[in-house]
Amino acid sequence: MGKLFGTDGIRGVVGENLTAELAYRVGQAVAVTLCEEKGRPPLITIGMDTRISSDMLEGALIAGITSVGGGVMPLGTIPTPAVAYLTIKVGADAGVVISASHNPFEHNGIKVFNSQGYKLSDALEDRVEEKILSGEPMPIKKGGEIGKRIHGMKNLKYEYIKHLAGTVQDDLGGLRVLVDCANGAAAATAPDLFAGFAIEADFIHRKPNGVNINLKCGSTHLKSLAAMVTAGEYDLGIAFDGDADRCLMIDEKGSVVDGDKTMAVCGKYMKDQGLLTGRAIVGTVMSNLGLHEFCNRNNIRLICTPVGDRNVLEKMLESGYRIGGEQSGHTIFTDYATTGDGQLTALQFLQILKRSGETASALASICPSYPQTLVNVELPNQPGLKEKIMSSQALRDAVAKEEEALGGDGRVLVRPSGTEPLIRVMVEAKTAGEAGGCAGRLADLVNALKI
């Protein structure tokens, strides 16, 4: 990847390595590159999450795009997958999302979708990045050639909500759910979406103030939701992340239904309905061994890609597979979306829950979970440090030793984060104690190597 674009666009701490000046230049570079591609000024949608910095970055991007002649359709606060869907719906040339997903509010990001609702190709990203980093002036327009901002686009969110509702046939009546909006983008859409069904839905963390997005809530902080689901005797708890492209759930007993279990439930249902193309689910190397066991028992192929929903989607499109995702809650249904969509995922699961007549815990029990420990080792934000640590012979030797000790009944995965200055250490084993001990030892070594 380049110096700016990571695995999920440009990410950074606002005011440090992500500034209004950079966003302005990104807007210019995206618009100029698209103009070169299409031979005319482009039309670009922009959506954002609820971070305090999102308005500032939106303004800078709009200024950059229009300064070189591009047109802009601001969608307001809206989930990431809604930007992808609406970019296609309105026939725009690209869509820009301002969000840092599940990260704290101090962070933000800029991600670009193409006109088909997919993330930009590496080649296009490289061209955009080259223009940003070159320092050369962009072709500023004057007079009537300056780009326009098209007003009144915020109501397009109802087109997106209508699309989501149309992906299920049941009214979901009789179910009670508790929805955690993470004080993020889902707060702008989830209440209206669930209001269109006979379902009884209550909402928490739906009052964003710019600095409380993902703060002890949402898909990365499930304890409070789990406690409220069991205390309130709900059928299901649903948790989104800041930009609502992820969904994790809580069953009626307070246990987590993660992305692997969600794929198992939905994949089996699709197989039973004759809809599972190639009898395959696409996961990643982080998918729990329990998902592997489930697939083996049910004559389903589990195809694993490197971590990242982009890698999952590429494999799905390459082979025509219809469901894939990550344990962290990115689930992709290519029949309905071009990217992971938390609200879409919730609806698909709820329809299966309703039709099955079972409890959420019974549904999810078809996919066991091996004890898994994930330790995130924070690193100084130094160029090349991740690569130095990952290439360390001491780390390779330690991983090999731990894998040998697990004796084939577990696995070890150490990898750099693509969006944050972290090394992630993941261990699965027969017992939580084994997994935790192994992960702790490897994390200690990574901490030693970063000095």
Side-chain angles (χ1 to χ4, degrees):
M1 303 302 291
K3 298 177 182 177
L4 290 176
F5 285 94
T7 56
D8 202 25
I10 298 171
R11 291 279 182 92
V13 177
V14 180
E16 293 182 10
N17 55 345
L18 179 55
T19 62
E21 290 81 5
L22 175 59
Y24 175 75
R25 194 158 175 87
V26 170
Q28 289 183 316
V30 169
V32 170
T33 301
L34 289 172
C35 187
E36 292 171 352
E37 284 280 301
K38 299 178 181 297
R40 57 171 173 77
L43 177 62
I44 301 171
T45 64
I46 296 182
M48 59 186 177
D49 68 20
T50 58
R51 291 162 212 273
I52 194 170
S53 60
S54 290
D55 286 330
M56 178 189 74
L57 295 175
E58 181 198 46
L61 282 161
I62 291 174
I65 292 166
T66 54
S67 73
V68 296
V72 181
M73 300 177 70
L75 303 172
T77 299
I78 201 165
T80 287
V83 177
Y85 173 77
L86 292 173
T87 296
I88 304 168
K89 180 78 174 178
V90 303
D93 298 301
V96 176
V97 178
I98 303 167
S99 176
S101 189
H102 59 285
N103 288 0
F105 85 92
E106 299 93 343
H107 297 246
N108 217 325
I110 301 170
K111 178 164 58 178
V112 187
F113 291 112
N114 65 20
S115 60
Q116 287 80 46
Y118 299 114
K119 294 177 183 178
L120 286 188
S121 67
D122 288 343
L124 261 183
E125 275 191 357
D126 289 344
R127 287 174 57 188
V128 171
E129 187 167 87
E130 185 179 351
K131 285 180 170 59
I132 297 168
L133 297 177
S134 70
E136 296 180 4
M138 302 286 183
I140 300 296
K141 301 299 182 182
K142 299 178 181 179
E145 292 185 339
I146 294 172
K148 293 181 180 180
R149 169 178 175 155
I150 302 174
H151 294 271
M153 295 298 105
K154 293 183 180 180
N155 283 337
L156 281 173
K157 75 174 186 178
Y158 295 107
E159 291 294 325
Y160 168 67
I161 291 169
K162 179 181 176 182
H163 162 67
L164 291 181
T167 67
V168 296
Q169 291 72 52
D170 292 10
D171 66 5
L172 307 179
L175 294 177
R176 294 185 67 245
V177 300
L178 183 62
V179 182
D180 184 344
C181 295
N183 290 317
T189 53
D192 288 322
L193 173 63
F194 284 99
F197 294 91
I199 195 169
E200 183 182 337
D202 294 320
F203 299 86
I204 58 174
H205 304 124
R206 58 172 292 193
K207 295 181 179 180
N209 62 13
V211 299
N212 62 0
I213 186 171
N214 301 315
L215 182 62
K216 297 181 180 179
C217 60
S219 63
T220 52
H221 299 86
L222 294 169
K223 285 187 178 179
S224 63
L225 178 63
M228 293 178 73
V229 165
T230 55
E233 298 184 347
Y234 289 93
D235 297 304
L236 191 70
I238 299 168
F240 303 116
D241 65 341
D243 66 338
D245 64 348
R246 295 188 191 194
C247 172
L248 293 180
M249 290 173 278
I250 299 293
D251 68 26
E252 80 287 353
K253 295 180 179 179
S255 297
V256 176
V257 181
D258 63 15
D260 287 344
K261 288 180 177 290
T262 299
M263 285 191 290
V265 170
C266 294
K268 184 177 185 300
Y269 178 82
M270 292 169 69
K271 177 176 177 285
D272 293 344
Q273 299 296 312
L275 301 174
L276 192 64
T277 306
R279 293 196 331 277
I281 293 172
V282 181
T284 75
V285 293
M286 289 287 284
S287 294
N288 193 278
L289 286 173
L291 182 59
H292 289 259
E293 286 188 10
F294 160 80
C295 288
N296 287 335
R297 287 199 311 268
N298 288 275
N299 194 27
I300 293 173
R301 297 162 58 214
L302 179 60
I303 298 164
C304 291
T305 73
V307 172
D309 59 330
R310 181 175 191 153
N311 297 317
V312 172
L313 181 60
E314 285 178 357
K315 176 57 69 174
M316 294 175 73
L317 295 177
E318 176 187 306
S319 303
Y321 300 134
R322 301 169 85 168
I323 182 171
E326 299 184 281
Q327 187 184 54
S328 59
H330 284 122
T331 308
I332 304 172
F333 297 88
T334 51
D335 286 344
Y336 307 118
T338 58
T339 187
D341 189 324
Q343 292 171 109
L344 172 63
T345 300
L347 287 179
Q348 300 307 303
F349 189 93
L350 283 167
Q351 178 165 260
I352 296 168
L353 181 63
K354 171 69 175 178
R355 291 182 173 181
S356 71
E358 297 186 46
T359 62
S361 61
L363 273 185
S365 68
I366 63 173
C367 181
S369 290
Y370 273 56
Q372 186 180 81
T373 298
L374 176 63
V375 179
N376 293 321
V377 182
E378 295 186 8
L379 305 179
N381 203 1
Q382 298 174 4
L385 182 58
K386 289 180 185 177
E387 292 77 9
K388 178 183 175 182
I389 292 173
M390 292 304 299
S391 64
S392 163
Q393 186 61 49
L395 180 59
R396 286 198 292 266
D397 290 345
V399 169
K401 180 180 178 181
E402 295 290 354
E403 287 178 330
E404 183 179 358
L406 291 173
D409 292 320
R411 61 182 180 135
V412 176
L413 180 64
V414 180
R415 67 176 186 88
S417 168
T419 59
E420 300 174 80
L422 301 171
I423 296 288
R424 304 190 193 279
V425 179
M426 189 278 287
V427 179
E428 287 175 351
K430 277 187 173 181
T431 68
E434 287 178 295
C438 175
R441 289 188 292 272
L442 290 172
D444 288 343
L445 176 58
V446 172
N447 271 312
L449 292 171
K450 76 182 182 183
I451 299 173

